[in-house]
Amino acid sequence: MYDGTSRGRHTSSFDGAAARRLREALGMAPGDVAHGMRAAFGLTVAAETVTAWERGEQAPDDRELTALAGALWCAVPELMDTPGTLRGFRLAQGLSRADLALGIGMDEAAYALAEEEGRWVGDARQADALGRMLRLPVPALIAFTGRSAELAELLRRAVTSRWQAYVEPVSGLVPLPRAYLEDGLRRLHAEYTSTTAASLGWGRPASASSREAARAFLDDVLDRFWNAVEGLES
């Protein structure tokens, strides 16, 4: 699940193994790839750098990735694994940072804060546009736009009280059909009740084990919610 921990400049969705397979299928050496990048895109990259990319020791930046795809006669998404970062999702759609910022109506420097530092400064309209342009799964959209903590707090309140009272607040954050959210909250509340009840003795006060079970559930409530909602779609 997307909890926001994968955001930032130190993660990449570049698939070095895919780059190596494509290079070998073309009968090219790393030096040939470096030459192609320099000849067609004017980027000077050492053969050793290409090898480091393929081994996962380094990752190309945006310009290098575009040039690498050109040298390997492939599309950028073919060099990406399953995205886990905002940058990864953007590159998988073949969008530059400037084009995406323009498309969602945000200043490029402001968008860069979200991609590089995990700080979202956009409004709800821009968040919706981001989700559409990058085809983000809902958990990723919530994480990348900085709403995970707020949603988790609502979910904790929902499972420990009347979940029905939190359908509206949750629907204001999560762009899913209301019926899905209602059923997901109902399931989550029932799961919490079952988890805590199982560790209680009949007619006895809460024990240390029941308190620990409740605490563990609430700590993991966001992932449990996504699991509950995804279960409704299967």
Side-chain angles (χ1 to χ4, degrees):
M1 294 296 173
Y2 296 87
D3 59 2
T5 58
S6 62
R7 292 177 296 167
R9 69 187 69 187
H10 302 296
T11 55
S12 172
S13 297
F14 175 71
D15 188 344
R20 186 188 71 250
R21 289 193 299 270
L22 287 164
R23 173 179 61 76
E24 292 175 346
L26 292 170
M28 300 170 70
D32 298 326
V33 176
H35 174 76
M37 293 175 66
R38 182 171 61 255
F41 295 89
L43 290 180
T44 301
V45 173
E48 292 77 13
T49 300
V50 174
T51 300
W53 291 342
E54 294 179 352
R55 291 175 176 170
E57 298 168 353
Q58 301 177 33
D61 63 23
D62 288 10
R63 291 185 63 218
E64 291 166 340
L65 183 61
T66 299
L68 178 62
L72 294 176
W73 294 87
C74 70
V76 167
E78 295 179 68
L79 297 174
M80 308 294 292
D81 57 19
T82 301
T85 66
L86 192 52
R87 175 178 180 265
F89 277 102
R90 173 175 60 78
L91 293 175
Q93 295 301 319
L95 293 169
S96 70
R97 182 181 288 177
D99 287 341
L100 178 58
L102 179 64
I104 65 176
M106 180 181 284
D107 178 75
E108 185 177 351
Y111 169 75
L113 292 175
E115 191 167 295
E116 296 179 359
E117 301 178 16
R119 288 199 288 134
W120 175 256
V121 296
D123 57 27
R125 180 189 59 78
Q126 292 166 330
D128 289 343
L130 180 75
R132 288 194 302 272
M133 289 192 70
L134 298 187
R135 301 180 183 179
L136 292 176
V138 174
L141 176 62
I142 297 299
F144 293 146
T145 55
R147 293 178 283 180
S148 292
E150 183 181 358
L151 176 57
E153 181 58 28
L154 287 174
L155 296 175
R156 292 186 187 101
R157 295 177 184 177
V159 299
T160 55
S161 60
R162 291 183 65 256
W163 65 264
Q164 295 89 340
Y166 291 89
V167 174
E168 195 66 34
V170 169
S171 66
L173 289 178
V174 182
L176 286 174
R178 186 184 181 92
Y180 276 25
L181 298 179
E182 289 178 348
D183 285 348
L185 287 173
R186 183 185 298 110
R187 289 187 179 196
L188 197 65
H189 185 275
E191 186 182 351
Y192 176 77
T193 301
S194 176
T195 297
T196 54
S199 59
L200 284 172
W202 179 258
R204 290 188 295 180
S207 63
S209 62
S210 67
R211 290 192 295 271
E212 181 59 32
R215 187 179 305 111
F217 188 102
L218 296 177
D219 286 344
D220 196 34
V221 71
L222 193 56
D223 278 353
R224 289 176 180 272
F225 174 69
W226 296 132
N227 289 335
V229 173
E230 286 175 356
L232 295 170
E233 299 179 278
S234 60

